[in-house]
């Protein structure tokens, strides 16, 4: 989306995609497309076929008081 978007690993299997300057509709569409991309084709890792599933939520910093910590809660 914007030039300052960020994908970060939060934990073993937790990631955050921070999209700057986005509407709720656009953010929901991005989450939907990421989910579809991971679920369509299995991934091969070390000779093993892995099927992935993504669970996504969407939050806006304005709704959480403007801080990253607020959004993550």
């Amino acid at each position: 989306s914007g030039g300052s978007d960020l994908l970060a690993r939060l934990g073993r299997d937790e990631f955050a995609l921070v999209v700057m300057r986005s509407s709720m509709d656009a953010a929901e569409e991005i989450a939907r497309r990421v989910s579809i991309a991971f679920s369509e084709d299995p991934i091969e890792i070390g000779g093993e076929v892995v099927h992935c599933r993504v669970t996504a939520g969407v939050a806006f910093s304005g709704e959480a008081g403007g801080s990253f910590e607020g959004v993550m809660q």
Side-chain angles (χ1 to χ4, degrees), residues 1-68:
S1 192
S4 57
D5 297 344
L6 171 71
L7 176 63
R9 185 175 187 177
L10 302 177
R12 182 176 173 176
D13 62 351
E14 291 182 299
F15 296 83
L17 176 59
V18 179
V19 180
M20 305 301 290
R21 296 175 298 280
S22 182
S23 68
M24 178 64 106
D25 288 341
E28 288 173 345
E29 176 64 15
I30 291 168
R32 186 187 71 76
R33 289 173 50 198
V34 167
S35 180
I36 289 170
F38 274 93
S39 65
E40 280 185 338
D41 297 316
I43 301 169
E44 186 174 333
I45 302 174
E48 298 287 326
V49 176
V50 178
H51 296 271
C52 296
R53 183 178 65 194
V54 173
T55 302
V58 176
F60 281 92
S61 63
E63 295 174 358
S67 71
F68 178 77

